[in-house]
Amino acid sequence: MPINEDRGRALENEYFQRKEKELIAKMKAKMGDQSAKNLAIKCPKCDGTLVETDFENIKIDVCDKCSGVWLDAGELTHVVDQDKDGGWFGKLFG
Ligand SMILES: [Zn+2]
């Protein structure tokens, strides 16, 4: 009976979709745990530790060894947006 077969297949798909969602949720929870434990981020340039600092309402990561300043992509966009009238960012890299 083809109708029953389709129904069975649909239930099977539903089962796997649910399993996949559970797996993703578990992975996300695991990743969350790891990021909470690894709050100390290593400097990409030296073996120093990056310290999150507020600079003109922007979160930046400053290395405690080489004083290197690091931003993630989202933070950088934020900085560039604020820098349209020529702010500290332009002076720093201009
Ligand atoms: Zn460093």
Side-chain angles (χ1 to χ4, degrees), residues 22-91:
E22 279 175 27
L23 208 74
I24 290 165
K26 268 183 200 167
M27 272 167 67
K28 276 186 182 168
K30 209 176 163 188
M31 276 158 72
D33 280 355
Q34 278 176 348
S35 66
K37 275 174 207 161
N38 293 330
L39 272 176
I41 308 158
K42 286 275 170 201
C43 174
K45 218 164 115 185
C46 68
D47 61 348
T49 305
L50 298 184
V51 183
E52 200 174 70
T53 315
D54 262 319
F55 189 84
E56 298 191 6
N57 298 321
I58 303 153
K59 289 245 187 294
I60 56 169
D61 295 317
V62 184
C63 176
D64 63 354
K65 264 198 174 178
C66 71
S67 299
V69 179
W70 307 98
L71 305 144
D72 70 29
E75 286 163 340
L76 193 65
T77 311
H78 193 61
V79 172
V80 172
D81 277 349
Q82 287 201 345
D83 196 48
K84 272 173 187 150
D85 331 303
W88 64 273
F89 191 75
K91 283 172 205 151

Short mmCIF file of all heavy atoms in Angstrom, two decimals, residues 22-91:
data_model
loop_
_atom_site.label_atom_id
_atom_site.label_comp_id
_atom_site.label_asym_id
_atom_site.label_seq_id
_atom_site.Cartn_x
_atom_site.Cartn_y
_atom_site.Cartn_z
N GLU A 22 18.22 17.40 18.34
CA GLU A 22 18.75 17.07 19.67
C GLU A 22 20.27 17.12 19.66
O GLU A 22 20.90 17.62 20.58
CB GLU A 22 18.30 15.65 20.06
CG GLU A 22 16.89 15.61 20.62
CD GLU A 22 16.45 14.18 20.87
OE1 GLU A 22 17.29 13.31 21.13
OE2 GLU A 22 15.23 13.92 20.80
N LEU A 23 20.85 16.58 18.57
CA LEU A 23 22.30 16.52 18.44
C LEU A 23 22.88 17.93 18.38
O LEU A 23 23.88 18.23 19.03
CB LEU A 23 22.65 15.75 17.17
CG LEU A 23 23.99 15.01 17.20
CD1 LEU A 23 23.88 13.78 18.08
CD2 LEU A 23 24.40 14.60 15.80
N ILE A 24 22.25 18.79 17.60
CA ILE A 24 22.71 20.18 17.46
C ILE A 24 22.61 20.90 18.79
O ILE A 24 23.53 21.62 19.20
CB ILE A 24 21.91 20.90 16.36
CG1 ILE A 24 22.29 20.34 14.98
CG2 ILE A 24 22.18 22.41 16.40
CD1 ILE A 24 21.35 20.71 13.86
N ALA A 25 21.50 20.66 19.51
CA ALA A 25 21.32 21.29 20.82
C ALA A 25 22.41 20.84 21.78
O ALA A 25 22.96 21.65 22.53
CB ALA A 25 19.95 20.93 21.37
N LYS A 26 22.75 19.55 21.73
CA LYS A 26 23.80 19.01 22.60
C LYS A 26 25.15 19.63 22.25
O LYS A 26 25.93 19.99 23.12
CB LYS A 26 23.87 17.49 22.44
CG LYS A 26 23.00 16.75 23.44
CD LYS A 26 23.17 15.26 23.28
CE LYS A 26 21.99 14.52 23.89
NZ LYS A 26 21.99 13.10 23.48
N MET A 27 25.42 19.74 20.94
CA MET A 27 26.69 20.30 20.48
C MET A 27 26.81 21.75 20.93
O MET A 27 27.87 22.19 21.36
CB MET A 27 26.78 20.21 18.96
CG MET A 27 27.37 18.90 18.49
SD MET A 27 27.12 18.66 16.72
CE MET A 27 28.15 19.96 16.07
N LYS A 28 25.70 22.49 20.80
CA LYS A 28 25.71 23.90 21.20
C LYS A 28 25.97 24.03 22.70
O LYS A 28 26.72 24.90 23.12
CB LYS A 28 24.36 24.54 20.84
CG LYS A 28 24.33 25.01 19.40
CD LYS A 28 23.05 25.77 19.13
CE LYS A 28 22.97 26.19 17.67
NZ LYS A 28 21.64 26.67 17.31
N ALA A 29 25.33 23.17 23.49
CA ALA A 29 25.52 23.20 24.94
C ALA A 29 26.97 22.92 25.28
O ALA A 29 27.56 23.57 26.14
CB ALA A 29 24.60 22.17 25.60
N LYS A 30 27.56 21.96 24.57
CA LYS A 30 28.95 21.58 24.80
C LYS A 30 29.88 22.74 24.45
O LYS A 30 30.82 23.05 25.18
CB LYS A 30 29.29 20.36 23.93
CG LYS A 30 30.37 19.49 24.53
CD LYS A 30 30.58 18.26 23.68
CE LYS A 30 31.90 17.59 23.99
NZ LYS A 30 32.18 16.50 23.05
N MET A 31 29.60 23.38 23.32
CA MET A 31 30.42 24.51 22.88
C MET A 31 30.31 25.66 23.88
O MET A 31 31.28 26.34 24.15
CB MET A 31 29.99 24.96 21.48
CG MET A 31 30.64 24.15 20.39
SD MET A 31 29.72 24.22 18.84
CE MET A 31 30.07 25.90 18.34
N GLY A 32 29.11 25.85 24.42
CA GLY A 32 28.90 26.89 25.41
C GLY A 32 29.73 26.65 26.64
O GLY A 32 30.35 27.56 27.17
N ASP A 33 29.78 25.39 27.07
CA ASP A 33 30.59 25.02 28.23
C ASP A 33 32.06 25.35 27.99
O ASP A 33 32.72 25.89 28.85
CB ASP A 33 30.48 23.50 28.48
CG ASP A 33 29.19 23.16 29.21
OD1 ASP A 33 28.48 24.11 29.59
OD2 ASP A 33 28.92 21.97 29.40
N GLN A 34 32.53 25.00 26.80
CA GLN A 34 33.94 25.20 26.48
C GLN A 34 34.30 26.68 26.47
O GLN A 34 35.33 27.06 26.99
CB GLN A 34 34.28 24.56 25.13
CG GLN A 34 34.52 23.07 25.26
CD GLN A 34 34.74 22.41 23.91
OE1 GLN A 34 34.51 23.01 22.87
NE2 GLN A 34 35.16 21.17 23.93
N SER A 35 33.45 27.50 25.87
CA SER A 35 33.77 28.92 25.79
C SER A 35 33.75 29.55 27.18
O SER A 35 34.47 30.49 27.45
CB SER A 35 32.82 29.64 24.83
OG SER A 35 31.51 29.61 25.36
N ALA A 36 32.90 29.03 28.06
CA ALA A 36 32.85 29.55 29.42
C ALA A 36 34.14 29.21 30.17
O ALA A 36 34.61 29.99 30.98
CB ALA A 36 31.65 28.97 30.15
N LYS A 37 34.69 28.03 29.88
CA LYS A 37 35.92 27.61 30.54
C LYS A 37 37.14 28.32 29.96
O LYS A 37 38.09 28.60 30.66
CB LYS A 37 36.10 26.10 30.39
CG LYS A 37 35.35 25.31 31.46
CD LYS A 37 35.45 23.82 31.19
CE LYS A 37 34.25 23.09 31.75
NZ LYS A 37 34.09 21.77 31.14
N ASN A 38 37.09 28.59 28.65
CA ASN A 38 38.23 29.20 27.99
C ASN A 38 38.06 30.71 27.86
O ASN A 38 38.15 31.26 26.79
CB ASN A 38 38.43 28.58 26.59
CG ASN A 38 38.83 27.13 26.68
OD1 ASN A 38 39.48 26.73 27.64
ND2 ASN A 38 38.45 26.36 25.69
N LEU A 39 37.81 31.36 28.96
CA LEU A 39 37.62 32.80 28.91
C LEU A 39 38.93 33.51 28.59
O LEU A 39 38.93 34.56 27.97
CB LEU A 39 37.06 33.31 30.25
CG LEU A 39 35.53 33.29 30.33
CD1 LEU A 39 35.08 33.71 31.72
CD2 LEU A 39 34.91 34.19 29.29
N ALA A 40 40.04 32.92 29.01
CA ALA A 40 41.34 33.49 28.70
C ALA A 40 41.70 33.16 27.26
O ALA A 40 41.90 32.01 26.91
CB ALA A 40 42.39 32.95 29.65
N ILE A 41 41.75 34.19 26.42
CA ILE A 41 42.08 33.98 25.01
C ILE A 41 43.56 34.30 24.81
O ILE A 41 44.05 35.33 25.26
CB ILE A 41 41.20 34.88 24.11
CG1 ILE A 41 39.73 34.69 24.47
CG2 ILE A 41 41.45 34.56 22.65
CD1 ILE A 41 38.85 35.86 24.05
N LYS A 42 44.22 33.40 24.11
CA LYS A 42 45.64 33.61 23.85
C LYS A 42 45.84 34.63 22.73
O LYS A 42 45.08 34.67 21.77
CB LYS A 42 46.29 32.27 23.43
CG LYS A 42 46.46 31.32 24.61
CD LYS A 42 47.76 31.62 25.34
CE LYS A 42 47.80 30.84 26.66
NZ LYS A 42 48.74 31.42 27.61
N CYS A 43 46.87 35.44 22.88
CA CYS A 43 47.21 36.43 21.86
C CYS A 43 47.70 35.70 20.60
O CYS A 43 48.50 34.79 20.70
CB CYS A 43 48.30 37.35 22.40
SG CYS A 43 48.93 38.50 21.17
N PRO A 44 47.22 36.13 19.41
CA PRO A 44 47.67 35.48 18.18
C PRO A 44 49.13 35.80 17.85
O PRO A 44 49.73 35.12 17.02
CB PRO A 44 46.74 36.06 17.10
CG PRO A 44 45.68 36.82 17.82
CD PRO A 44 46.21 37.15 19.18
N LYS A 45 49.67 36.82 18.47
CA LYS A 45 51.01 37.29 18.13
C LYS A 45 52.07 36.73 19.08
O LYS A 45 53.16 36.37 18.67
CB LYS A 45 51.04 38.82 18.20
CG LYS A 45 51.87 39.48 17.12
CD LYS A 45 51.50 40.95 17.02
CE LYS A 45 52.68 41.83 17.41
NZ LYS A 45 52.29 43.25 17.44
N CYS A 46 51.76 36.70 20.37
CA CYS A 46 52.71 36.19 21.34
C CYS A 46 51.98 35.20 22.26
O CYS A 46 50.87 34.82 21.97
CB CYS A 46 53.32 37.34 22.15
SG CYS A 46 52.14 38.15 23.23
N ASP A 47 52.58 34.81 23.38
CA ASP A 47 51.91 33.86 24.27
C ASP A 47 51.20 34.57 25.41
O ASP A 47 50.89 33.98 26.44
CB ASP A 47 52.91 32.82 24.80
CG ASP A 47 54.04 33.44 25.61
OD1 ASP A 47 54.16 34.69 25.56
OD2 ASP A 47 54.78 32.72 26.26
N GLY A 48 50.93 35.85 25.24
CA GLY A 48 50.20 36.62 26.24
C GLY A 48 48.73 36.27 26.26
O GLY A 48 48.24 35.51 25.43
N THR A 49 48.02 36.83 27.21
CA THR A 49 46.59 36.60 27.34
C THR A 49 45.83 37.86 26.98
O THR A 49 46.20 38.96 27.39
CB THR A 49 46.27 36.19 28.80
OG1 THR A 49 47.07 35.07 29.15
CG2 THR A 49 44.80 35.83 28.95
N LEU A 50 44.77 37.68 26.20
CA LEU A 50 43.96 38.84 25.81
C LEU A 50 42.99 39.19 26.93
O LEU A 50 42.30 38.33 27.47
CB LEU A 50 43.19 38.54 24.53
CG LEU A 50 44.05 38.26 23.30
CD1 LEU A 50 43.16 38.09 22.08
CD2 LEU A 50 45.09 39.34 23.05
N VAL A 51 42.94 40.45 27.28
CA VAL A 51 42.04 40.94 28.31
C VAL A 51 40.99 41.82 27.64
O VAL A 51 41.33 42.78 26.94
CB VAL A 51 42.82 41.76 29.37
CG1 VAL A 51 41.88 42.20 30.49
CG2 VAL A 51 43.97 40.93 29.94
N GLU A 52 39.72 41.47 27.86
CA GLU A 52 38.65 42.26 27.25
C GLU A 52 38.54 43.61 27.95
O GLU A 52 38.45 43.68 29.16
CB GLU A 52 37.33 41.50 27.33
CG GLU A 52 36.33 42.03 26.32
CD GLU A 52 35.06 41.20 26.29
OE1 GLU A 52 34.31 41.27 27.26
OE2 GLU A 52 34.85 40.50 25.31
N THR A 53 38.55 44.66 27.17
CA THR A 53 38.52 46.02 27.71
C THR A 53 37.48 46.84 26.96
O THR A 53 37.25 46.63 25.78
CB THR A 53 39.91 46.69 27.53
OG1 THR A 53 40.92 45.77 27.92
CG2 THR A 53 40.02 47.93 28.38
N ASP A 54 36.85 47.74 27.65
CA ASP A 54 35.92 48.68 27.01
C ASP A 54 36.70 49.89 26.53
O ASP A 54 37.41 50.54 27.30
CB ASP A 54 34.86 49.13 28.02
CG ASP A 54 33.59 48.33 27.87
OD1 ASP A 54 33.20 48.07 26.71
OD2 ASP A 54 32.99 47.96 28.89
N PHE A 55 36.58 50.19 25.26
CA PHE A 55 37.23 51.37 24.72
C PHE A 55 36.21 52.16 23.92
O PHE A 55 35.79 51.73 22.87
CB PHE A 55 38.43 50.99 23.86
CG PHE A 55 39.28 52.17 23.47
CD1 PHE A 55 40.25 52.65 24.33
CD2 PHE A 55 39.08 52.80 22.25
CE1 PHE A 55 41.02 53.75 23.97
CE2 PHE A 55 39.85 53.90 21.90
CZ PHE A 55 40.83 54.38 22.75
N GLU A 56 35.81 53.31 24.42
CA GLU A 56 34.79 54.14 23.78
C GLU A 56 33.57 53.30 23.42
O GLU A 56 33.11 53.30 22.28
CB GLU A 56 35.37 54.87 22.58
CG GLU A 56 36.49 55.81 23.01
CD GLU A 56 36.92 56.77 21.89
OE1 GLU A 56 36.28 56.77 20.84
OE2 GLU A 56 37.89 57.49 22.11
N ASN A 57 33.08 52.55 24.40
CA ASN A 57 31.88 51.70 24.29
C ASN A 57 32.06 50.52 23.34
O ASN A 57 31.10 49.88 22.95
CB ASN A 57 30.66 52.51 23.87
CG ASN A 57 30.33 53.57 24.91
OD1 ASN A 57 30.42 53.31 26.11
ND2 ASN A 57 29.96 54.74 24.47
N ILE A 58 33.30 50.23 22.94
CA ILE A 58 33.55 49.08 22.08
C ILE A 58 34.39 48.09 22.86
O ILE A 58 35.36 48.46 23.52
CB ILE A 58 34.29 49.51 20.80
CG1 ILE A 58 33.49 50.57 20.05
CG2 ILE A 58 34.55 48.31 19.91
CD1 ILE A 58 34.35 51.48 19.23
N LYS A 59 33.99 46.82 22.79
CA LYS A 59 34.76 45.79 23.47
C LYS A 59 35.96 45.43 22.61
O LYS A 59 35.83 45.02 21.47
CB LYS A 59 33.89 44.55 23.68
CG LYS A 59 32.81 44.77 24.73
CD LYS A 59 33.03 43.87 25.94
CE LYS A 59 31.88 43.92 26.93
NZ LYS A 59 31.72 45.23 27.56
N ILE A 60 37.15 45.62 23.17
CA ILE A 60 38.36 45.23 22.46
C ILE A 60 39.15 44.27 23.34
O ILE A 60 39.00 44.26 24.56
CB ILE A 60 39.23 46.46 22.09
CG1 ILE A 60 39.58 47.28 23.34
CG2 ILE A 60 38.52 47.32 21.06
CD1 ILE A 60 40.64 48.32 23.10
N ASP A 61 39.97 43.46 22.71
CA ASP A 61 40.84 42.54 23.44
C ASP A 61 42.26 43.08 23.38
O ASP A 61 42.81 43.27 22.31
CB ASP A 61 40.77 41.14 22.82
CG ASP A 61 39.38 40.55 22.97
OD1 ASP A 61 38.80 40.69 24.05
OD2 ASP A 61 38.89 39.95 22.00
N VAL A 62 42.84 43.31 24.54
CA VAL A 62 44.19 43.84 24.61
C VAL A 62 45.10 42.79 25.22
O VAL A 62 44.79 42.21 26.26
CB VAL A 62 44.23 45.15 25.46
CG1 VAL A 62 45.64 45.74 25.44
CG2 VAL A 62 43.22 46.15 24.95
N CYS A 63 46.23 42.55 24.57
CA CYS A 63 47.20 41.58 25.07
C CYS A 63 47.94 42.16 26.26
O CYS A 63 48.35 43.32 26.25
CB CYS A 63 48.18 41.22 23.96
SG CYS A 63 49.47 40.10 24.52
N ASP A 64 48.10 41.34 27.31
CA ASP A 64 48.78 41.83 28.51
C ASP A 64 50.30 41.78 28.37
O ASP A 64 51.02 42.23 29.25
CB ASP A 64 48.30 41.07 29.76
CG ASP A 64 48.64 39.59 29.72
OD1 ASP A 64 49.15 39.12 28.69
OD2 ASP A 64 48.40 38.91 30.73
N LYS A 65 50.80 41.23 27.26
CA LYS A 65 52.24 41.13 27.07
C LYS A 65 52.75 42.12 26.03
O LYS A 65 53.63 42.92 26.30
CB LYS A 65 52.63 39.71 26.66
CG LYS A 65 53.08 38.86 27.85
CD LYS A 65 53.85 37.64 27.37
CE LYS A 65 54.41 36.87 28.55
NZ LYS A 65 55.12 35.66 28.09
N CYS A 66 52.18 42.04 24.80
CA CYS A 66 52.68 42.90 23.72
C CYS A 66 51.79 44.12 23.51
O CYS A 66 52.06 44.93 22.63
CB CYS A 66 52.82 42.11 22.42
SG CYS A 66 51.24 41.64 21.68
N SER A 67 50.71 44.23 24.31
CA SER A 67 49.75 45.33 24.20
C SER A 67 49.09 45.40 22.83
O SER A 67 48.62 46.45 22.41
CB SER A 67 50.42 46.68 24.53
OG SER A 67 50.91 46.64 25.85
N GLY A 68 49.08 44.29 22.13
CA GLY A 68 48.38 44.22 20.85
C GLY A 68 46.88 44.33 21.06
O GLY A 68 46.36 43.86 22.06
N VAL A 69 46.21 45.00 20.14
CA VAL A 69 44.76 45.18 20.24
C VAL A 69 44.09 44.31 19.19
O VAL A 69 44.45 44.34 18.02
CB VAL A 69 44.37 46.66 20.03
CG1 VAL A 69 42.86 46.83 20.10
CG2 VAL A 69 45.05 47.53 21.07
N TRP A 70 43.11 43.52 19.63
CA TRP A 70 42.43 42.61 18.72
C TRP A 70 40.93 42.83 18.78
O TRP A 70 40.37 43.06 19.84
CB TRP A 70 42.75 41.15 19.09
CG TRP A 70 44.22 40.92 19.17
CD1 TRP A 70 44.98 40.90 20.29
CD2 TRP A 70 45.12 40.72 18.07
NE1 TRP A 70 46.31 40.71 19.96
CE2 TRP A 70 46.42 40.59 18.61
CE3 TRP A 70 44.95 40.64 16.68
CZ2 TRP A 70 47.53 40.38 17.81
CZ3 TRP A 70 46.07 40.43 15.89
CH2 TRP A 70 47.34 40.30 16.45
N LEU A 71 40.32 42.77 17.62
CA LEU A 71 38.87 42.91 17.52
C LEU A 71 38.34 41.75 16.70
O LEU A 71 39.03 41.26 15.82
CB LEU A 71 38.50 44.20 16.78
CG LEU A 71 39.06 45.51 17.30
CD1 LEU A 71 39.37 46.43 16.14
CD2 LEU A 71 38.06 46.18 18.21
N ASP A 72 37.10 41.33 16.99
CA ASP A 72 36.51 40.35 16.08
C ASP A 72 35.78 41.11 14.97
O ASP A 72 35.65 42.33 15.01
CB ASP A 72 35.62 39.34 16.80
CG ASP A 72 34.34 39.91 17.34
OD1 ASP A 72 33.83 40.87 16.74
OD2 ASP A 72 33.84 39.41 18.35
N ALA A 73 35.34 40.38 13.95
CA ALA A 73 34.78 41.01 12.75
C ALA A 73 33.62 41.93 13.09
O ALA A 73 33.52 43.03 12.57
CB ALA A 73 34.34 39.94 11.77
N GLY A 74 32.74 41.50 14.00
CA GLY A 74 31.59 42.31 14.37
C GLY A 74 32.01 43.61 15.05
O GLY A 74 31.47 44.67 14.77
N GLU A 75 33.01 43.50 15.90
CA GLU A 75 33.50 44.67 16.61
C GLU A 75 34.14 45.65 15.64
O GLU A 75 33.98 46.85 15.77
CB GLU A 75 34.53 44.24 17.68
CG GLU A 75 33.86 43.58 18.88
CD GLU A 75 34.86 42.81 19.74
OE1 GLU A 75 35.93 42.47 19.23
OE2 GLU A 75 34.54 42.52 20.89
N LEU A 76 34.84 45.12 14.66
CA LEU A 76 35.52 45.96 13.68
C LEU A 76 34.50 46.77 12.87
O LEU A 76 34.67 47.96 12.65
CB LEU A 76 36.36 45.10 12.75
CG LEU A 76 37.37 45.85 11.88
CD1 LEU A 76 38.43 46.52 12.75
CD2 LEU A 76 38.04 44.91 10.90
N THR A 77 33.42 46.11 12.46
CA THR A 77 32.36 46.79 11.72
C THR A 77 31.80 47.93 12.56
O THR A 77 31.56 49.02 12.07
CB THR A 77 31.23 45.80 11.38
OG1 THR A 77 31.80 44.64 10.82
CG2 THR A 77 30.26 46.40 10.37
N HIS A 78 31.62 47.64 13.84
CA HIS A 78 31.11 48.63 14.77
C HIS A 78 32.04 49.84 14.83
O HIS A 78 31.60 50.98 14.80
CB HIS A 78 30.99 47.97 16.15
CG HIS A 78 30.19 48.77 17.14
ND1 HIS A 78 28.87 49.07 16.94
CD2 HIS A 78 30.54 49.32 18.32
CE1 HIS A 78 28.44 49.79 17.96
NE2 HIS A 78 29.42 49.96 18.81
N VAL A 79 33.32 49.57 14.89
CA VAL A 79 34.32 50.64 14.96
C VAL A 79 34.28 51.47 13.69
O VAL A 79 34.25 52.70 13.74
CB VAL A 79 35.73 50.04 15.17
CG1 VAL A 79 36.78 51.13 15.04
CG2 VAL A 79 35.83 49.36 16.52
N VAL A 80 34.26 50.81 12.54
CA VAL A 80 34.27 51.52 11.26
C VAL A 80 33.01 52.38 11.13
O VAL A 80 33.06 53.50 10.66
CB VAL A 80 34.39 50.52 10.09
CG1 VAL A 80 34.20 51.22 8.76
CG2 VAL A 80 35.74 49.82 10.14
N ASP A 81 31.87 51.84 11.61
CA ASP A 81 30.62 52.60 11.56
C ASP A 81 30.74 53.89 12.36
O ASP A 81 30.26 54.94 11.95
CB ASP A 81 29.48 51.76 12.16
CG ASP A 81 28.92 50.80 11.13
OD1 ASP A 81 29.28 50.94 9.94
OD2 ASP A 81 28.13 49.93 11.50
N GLN A 82 31.40 53.81 13.52
CA GLN A 82 31.52 54.97 14.38
C GLN A 82 32.57 55.94 13.87
O GLN A 82 32.66 57.06 14.34
CB GLN A 82 31.92 54.50 15.79
CG GLN A 82 30.78 53.82 16.52
CD GLN A 82 30.99 53.84 18.02
OE1 GLN A 82 32.09 54.10 18.50
NE2 GLN A 82 29.95 53.56 18.77
N ASP A 83 33.36 55.49 12.91
CA ASP A 83 34.54 56.24 12.51
C ASP A 83 34.30 57.08 11.26
O ASP A 83 35.23 57.57 10.65
CB ASP A 83 35.70 55.26 12.27
CG ASP A 83 37.03 55.97 12.23
OD1 ASP A 83 37.29 56.79 13.12
OD2 ASP A 83 37.80 55.74 11.28
N LYS A 84 33.04 57.26 10.88
CA LYS A 84 32.75 57.94 9.61
C LYS A 84 33.24 59.39 9.60
O LYS A 84 33.67 59.89 8.58
CB LYS A 84 31.25 57.87 9.30
CG LYS A 84 30.93 56.59 8.53
CD LYS A 84 29.45 56.39 8.36
CE LYS A 84 29.21 55.01 7.73
NZ LYS A 84 27.95 54.44 8.13
N ASP A 85 33.19 60.05 10.76
CA ASP A 85 33.64 61.43 10.79
C ASP A 85 35.12 61.53 11.18
O ASP A 85 35.59 62.60 11.55
CB ASP A 85 32.81 62.26 11.80
CG ASP A 85 31.41 61.73 11.97
OD1 ASP A 85 30.72 61.65 10.95
OD2 ASP A 85 31.02 61.41 13.11
N GLY A 86 35.83 60.43 11.08
CA GLY A 86 37.25 60.45 11.40
C GLY A 86 37.52 60.45 12.87
O GLY A 86 37.77 61.48 13.47
N GLY A 87 37.46 59.28 13.48
CA GLY A 87 37.69 59.16 14.91
C GLY A 87 39.04 58.55 15.20
O GLY A 87 39.96 58.63 14.37
N TRP A 88 39.15 57.92 16.37
CA TRP A 88 40.42 57.36 16.81
C TRP A 88 40.89 56.23 15.90
O TRP A 88 42.08 56.02 15.71
CB TRP A 88 40.31 56.87 18.25
CG TRP A 88 39.33 55.73 18.42
CD1 TRP A 88 38.00 55.84 18.63
CD2 TRP A 88 39.62 54.35 18.33
NE1 TRP A 88 37.45 54.60 18.71
CE2 TRP A 88 38.39 53.67 18.53
CE3 TRP A 88 40.80 53.59 18.11
CZ2 TRP A 88 38.31 52.27 18.51
CZ3 TRP A 88 40.71 52.21 18.10
CH2 TRP A 88 39.48 51.56 18.29
N PHE A 89 39.93 55.51 15.29
CA PHE A 89 40.30 54.37 14.45
C PHE A 89 41.06 54.83 13.22
O PHE A 89 42.05 54.24 12.83
CB PHE A 89 39.04 53.60 14.05
CG PHE A 89 39.33 52.28 13.41
CD1 PHE A 89 39.76 51.21 14.18
CD2 PHE A 89 39.16 52.11 12.05
CE1 PHE A 89 40.03 49.98 13.59
CE2 PHE A 89 39.44 50.88 11.46
CZ PHE A 89 39.86 49.82 12.24
N GLY A 90 40.60 55.94 12.63
CA GLY A 90 41.27 56.49 11.46
C GLY A 90 42.67 56.95 11.79
O GLY A 90 43.61 56.78 11.01
N LYS A 91 42.82 57.55 12.98
CA LYS A 91 44.13 58.03 13.40
C LYS A 91 45.08 56.86 13.64
O LYS A 91 46.27 56.94 13.38
CB LYS A 91 43.98 58.83 14.70
CG LYS A 91 43.44 60.22 14.46
CD LYS A 91 43.12 60.90 15.80
CE LYS A 91 42.05 61.97 15.61
NZ LYS A 91 41.24 62.15 16.82
#
